[in-house]
Every structure is written in C-alpha cells, then in structure tokens.
C-alpha cells in the first residue's frame, strides 16, 4: 500500500517535472521570439527615423532646387521683357530712319531746284544791275527777290544739315540697340540653359523624395505638416496685415473678380485631398511660365518658398481678406510691394514637389479659407 503511494507520488513528481521543463522551454521560446520581434521593431524604427531624416534632407534640397529655378526663371522673364522693349525701340528707330530718309530726299530736291533757279538767274547779279543803272524800283525788287532766294537756300541747307545729323544719330542709336539686343539674346540663352539644368536637378531630387513617400501614411503625414506650415504662414500674414494701411477688402467685388491665370480647374475647393484633409483652395492647370496676376489691389505680405506649396505669394486686400498664390515657378514681387489689380506678380510653375504645372490659389477671410469660385467669375 505504502509502495503504491510512493510509486504514484514518483509518477506525479516526474509528470510535474516534465511539465515544468516544457513550460520553461516554451517560455524561453516565447522570450526568444519577443526579442526577435523587439529587434525587428527597433530596426523598423531606426529605418523609419533614417527615412524621415532622408526625407527632411530631400525636402531641404528640393527647396534649394526650386529657389534656384525661381531665380533663373526671373532672369529669363526679365530678359524676355528687355528683348520686347529693345525690339519695340528698334522698330521705332527704323520708322524714324525711314521718315528722315524721305525728308532728306525731299530737302535735297528742294535745294537742287533752288540752285538751278539761282544758276538760271545768274545774268542778273547785283553788280551788273548797279553798273547798268537800271530803274531803282526794279533793282530794289530784284534785290528783294535775290535775298528771298538766298534766305530760302540757306534755310534749305540748314534743314538738310539738321536732318542729316538726326539721321546719323538714329543710325548710331540703332547700332547701339542692336548690340544691346544681341547681348540680351546671349543672356537669355545662358539663363534658359541654367533654368533647364536646375529643373533637371530638381527632378532627380523629386524622384528620390517620392520614394520616401511611397506609403499612404507617410503621404498623409506630409500633408498634415504642409497644412500646419500653411496655417502658420496665414497667421503670420494676418499679423502683418494688421500693420498695413486699411484697404477696401473683397466683399464688394464678390463674383466680379478675374481668376489669377487662365487655366482648367483640376482641383476644386472643398474636394477630398487625402484622408480627412480637403482642399482649402483651387488648383488651375496652366502652362509653365504663364503670368499670374493679382486679383485685386493690395500689398504683398509674404513672398517665399513654403513646404508643400513651393514658391508662395500672399497679398493683403484689407478688411481681413487675403489671396494666396502657390506652386509658382517664380515670384515677381517682394514683401512690402503694393500691387494693382491685373498686375503680373509671378509665373505659373510646379514648385512644392508638383509633377504638373499649375497654380494653387486661395482666398481667405479672417484666416478662414473661402471658395474662390464665389469671388472669381
């Protein structure tokens, strides 16, 4: 009986020992798996941090690239304006030259006729008339006639001389303008080449940046950061607007304003952008380099690069109203500049990491985005 109990106890102890051993092995296995998962998580976190750092570096590089593009585009635009002005001046000089040539030919013919008349009347010179003791009245008339002819000849010679001087001056101006034109054309080609190189560099940066934003989560995170950046700029602009002179705002111009550039609406105000984020403005698809015009009179209170929106310009219109223009290739006005309705303030582009050219356009009232379609016809 006692022996049976001892055997039973021994079996139970052995079972418990085996069970404890199995549990210990299972625990060790789970701890090993946990360590592996923790190591993987740590690796993923490190990878995410590296990706985040790489993304920030690429965004900084994109900013540098797009600012360089803006500078080159400004220079191209400036030389384009200069070329148009020089060509206009050359056209005006050409017209002046044609008119002066006509006047010179006419004056030469007049002088030629006067000299011919003087030659034909040469047998009635003053000395012969005095020696022949002609009728004093006749002599007086002839002297008056000769004096008239002589004055006319002198005036014709003076006019011809003046016209010739004007003509020489115009020809000299033409040559100078042509030299300026040739120099400006060379500058235009140089700036265009620089612009092309900067655009290629920007495309490489953008391709690498897009790889770091391959997941929806990363893309949404970036959009949230961009919205926060824009909100900060709007608040900064509102503070700046308080110090600017009072203006009439846009309330009375509702439905009467022109859109800042000609183009097709590709993104509408209020439409879904990503997740819970909606568009606060409108995107107008338009050719790169096309003019962006101020929708109304105002004062520039922001003109710089902004994350996600590229080259951005903000105009204060008074009464809490402001308009915002983004994704520009170049900005043509600076902070503090007064602008007029319809004035060129920038060029359409694809800054802010855009792949297609267009203009991002917002209207805000007291910091809140409003539908631009209610104001622009």
């Amino acid at each position: 009986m006692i022996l049976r109990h001892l055997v039973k106890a021994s079996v139970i102890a052995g079972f418990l020992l085996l069970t404890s051993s199995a549990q210990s092995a299972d625990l060790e296995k789970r701890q090993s798996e946990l360590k592996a998962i923790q190591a993987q998580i740590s690796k993923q976190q490190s990878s995410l941090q590296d990706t985040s750092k790489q993304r920030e570096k690429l965004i900084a590089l994109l900013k540098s690239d797009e600012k360089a593009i803006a500078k080159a585009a400004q220079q191209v635009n400036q030389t384009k304006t200069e070329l148009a002005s020089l060509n206009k001046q050359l056209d005006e000089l050409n017209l002046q030259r044609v008119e002066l040539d006509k006047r010179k030919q006419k004056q030469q013919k007049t002088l030629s006729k006067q000299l011919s008349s003087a030659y034909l009347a040469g047998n009635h010179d003053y000395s012969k008339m005095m020696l022949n003791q002609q009728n004093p009245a006749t002599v007086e008339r002839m002297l008056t006639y000769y004096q008239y002819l002589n004055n006319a000849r002198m005036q014709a010679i003076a006019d011809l001389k003046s016209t010739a001087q004007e003509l020489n001056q115009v020809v000299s101006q033409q040559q100078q303008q042509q030299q300026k034109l040739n120099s400006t054309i060379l500058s235009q080609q140089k700036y265009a080449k620089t612009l092309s190189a900067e655009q290629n560099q920007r495309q490489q940066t953008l391709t690498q940046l897009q790889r770091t934003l391959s997941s929806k989560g990363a893309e949404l995170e970036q959009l949230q950061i961009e919205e926060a950046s824009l909100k900060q700029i709007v608040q900064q602009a509102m503070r700046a607007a308080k110090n600017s002179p009072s203006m009439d705002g846009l309330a009375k111009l509702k439905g009467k304003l022109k859109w800042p550039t000609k183009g097709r609406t590709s993104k509408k105000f209020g439409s879904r952008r990503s997740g819970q984020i909606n568009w606060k403005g409108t995107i107008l698809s338009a050719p790169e380099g096309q003019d962006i015009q101020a929708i109304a009179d105002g004062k520039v209170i922001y003109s710089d690069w902004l994350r996600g929106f590229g080259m951005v310009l903000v105009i204060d219109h008074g009464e809490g109203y402001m308009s915002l223009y983004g994704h520009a290739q170049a900005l043509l006005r600076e902070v503090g500049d007064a602008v007029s309705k319809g004035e060129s303030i920038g060029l359409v582009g694809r800054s802010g990491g855009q792949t297609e050219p267009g203009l991002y356009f917002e209207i805000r009232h007291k910091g809140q985005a409003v539908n631009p379609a209610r104001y622009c016809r």
Side-chain angles (χ1 to χ4, degrees):
M1 184 78 177
I2 293 171
L3 183 61
R4 229 179 16 246
H5 283 298
L6 285 172
V7 170
K8 187 176 180 182
S10 177
V11 170
I12 290 170
F15 177 74
L16 289 172
L17 185 63
L18 284 171
T19 302
S20 175
S21 216
Q23 284 177 338
S24 178
D26 186 48
L27 181 61
E28 285 178 6
K29 183 181 177 183
R30 279 184 292 165
Q31 285 176 337
S32 177
E33 287 175 353
L34 181 60
K35 284 180 182 178
I37 290 169
Q38 286 173 337
Q40 193 174 354
I41 289 170
S42 179
K43 187 178 178 182
Q44 287 288 343
Q45 285 176 335
S46 177
S47 176
L48 283 171
Q49 286 175 353
D50 289 342
T51 302
S52 182
K53 286 178 183 177
Q54 184 189 8
R55 188 184 301 139
E56 291 303 313
K57 285 181 181 178
L58 286 168
I59 287 171
L61 186 58
L62 182 68
K63 176 182 178 179
S64 176
D65 291 343
E66 292 185 341
K67 284 197 139 189
I69 287 171
K71 185 179 178 181
Q74 277 180 330
Q75 290 169 329
V76 168
N77 185 68
Q78 187 177 344
T79 53
K80 183 181 172 183
T81 305
E82 287 173 6
L83 281 172
S85 176
L86 287 170
N87 278 316
K88 186 180 178 182
Q89 289 174 29
L90 270 175
D91 288 342
E92 289 173 356
L93 288 171
N94 285 331
L95 286 173
Q96 284 183 39
R97 185 172 179 174
V98 169
E99 289 299 318
L100 287 170
D101 272 327
K102 286 180 181 177
R103 192 198 302 174
K104 184 181 176 182
Q105 289 173 12
K106 188 177 179 181
Q107 288 170 346
Q108 284 174 333
K109 285 180 181 178
T110 302
L111 185 59
S112 178
K113 285 179 182 179
Q114 289 177 351
L115 291 172
S116 296
S117 298
Y119 176 77
L120 291 172
N123 59 337
H124 298 293
D125 61 32
Y126 176 76
S127 58
K128 284 183 180 180
M129 284 190 294
M130 291 300 292
L131 289 170
N132 290 338
Q133 295 183 354
Q134 293 181 6
N135 187 325
T138 305
V139 171
E140 189 177 353
R141 281 199 307 272
M142 291 304 294
L143 284 174
T144 303
Y145 171 69
Y146 276 124
Q147 189 176 5
Y148 171 77
L149 285 179
N150 188 53
N151 289 341
R153 280 198 302 272
M154 293 300 292
Q155 186 60 49
I157 290 168
D159 289 345
L160 184 59
K161 186 178 178 181
S162 175
T163 300
Q165 287 175 344
E166 281 187 61
L167 189 57
N168 289 336
Q169 191 177 358
V170 167
V171 170
S172 175
Q173 286 178 339
Q174 275 184 313
Q175 290 170 347
Q176 290 174 9
Q177 291 298 93
Q178 191 62 55
Q179 287 174 355
K180 281 185 184 178
L181 185 64
N182 294 339
S183 175
T184 305
I185 288 170
L186 289 175
S187 297
Q188 173 86 342
Q189 291 170 348
K190 174 189 167 185
Y191 295 140
K193 190 175 179 181
T194 303
L195 178 59
S196 178
E198 296 292 356
Q199 286 173 330
N200 289 336
Q201 176 61 47
R202 182 243 184 207
Q203 186 56 49
Q204 292 176 25
T205 304
L206 186 59
T207 301
Q208 293 179 52
L209 180 60
Q210 285 170 338
R211 285 180 190 146
T212 69
L213 296 170
S214 55
S215 71
K216 285 287 182 185
E219 186 182 355
L220 183 60
E221 181 190 350
Q222 286 305 302
L223 290 177
Q224 288 169 338
I225 293 170
E226 289 165 13
E227 277 225 328
S229 300
L230 183 59
K231 187 177 179 182
Q232 186 178 356
I233 290 301
V234 168
Q235 288 172 345
Q236 177 185 326
M238 285 176 69
R239 287 194 295 270
K242 287 180 180 178
N243 301 322
S244 62
S246 59
M247 289 173 279
D248 296 335
L250 303 177
K252 294 178 182 177
L253 301 172
K254 206 169 184 180
K256 299 175 183 177
L257 298 171
K258 286 185 178 180
W259 289 93
T261 197
K262 291 180 181 178
R264 177 181 57 83
T265 302
S266 59
K267 300 293 180 185
K268 290 184 178 181
F269 173 84
S271 60
R272 184 61 54 89
R273 190 174 181 187
S274 181
Q276 298 300 312
I277 297 176
N278 296 332
W279 285 100
K280 301 290 192 301
T282 299
I283 288 190
L284 299 169
S285 295
E288 196 162 22
Q290 183 171 286
D291 268 358
I292 302 169
Q293 297 173 338
I295 59 166
D297 296 350
K299 182 181 177 182
V300 178
I301 51 177
Y302 185 86
S303 179
D304 205 345
W305 191 90
L306 180 64
R307 183 170 180 162
F309 298 91
M311 301 304 293
V312 172
L313 187 138
V314 181
I315 299 175
D316 171 34
H317 301 288
E319 301 295 328
Y321 284 96
M322 63 179 69
S323 56
L324 182 147
Y325 313 77
H327 298 325
Q329 183 187 54
L331 304 174
L332 306 180
R333 294 292 176 269
E334 297 178 355
V335 172
D337 287 350
V339 294
S340 303
K341 178 182 177 181
E343 184 179 339
S344 182
I345 55 171
L347 305 174
V348 172
R350 59 181 83 198
S351 61
Q354 299 302 297
T355 54
E356 296 297 326
L359 171 68
Y360 178 71
F361 174 57
E362 275 191 14
I363 292 179
R364 291 195 177 231
H365 184 228
K366 295 181 179 177
Q368 297 300 311
V370 294
N371 190 350
R374 294 178 183 172
Y375 290 80
C376 300
R377 61 176 184 265

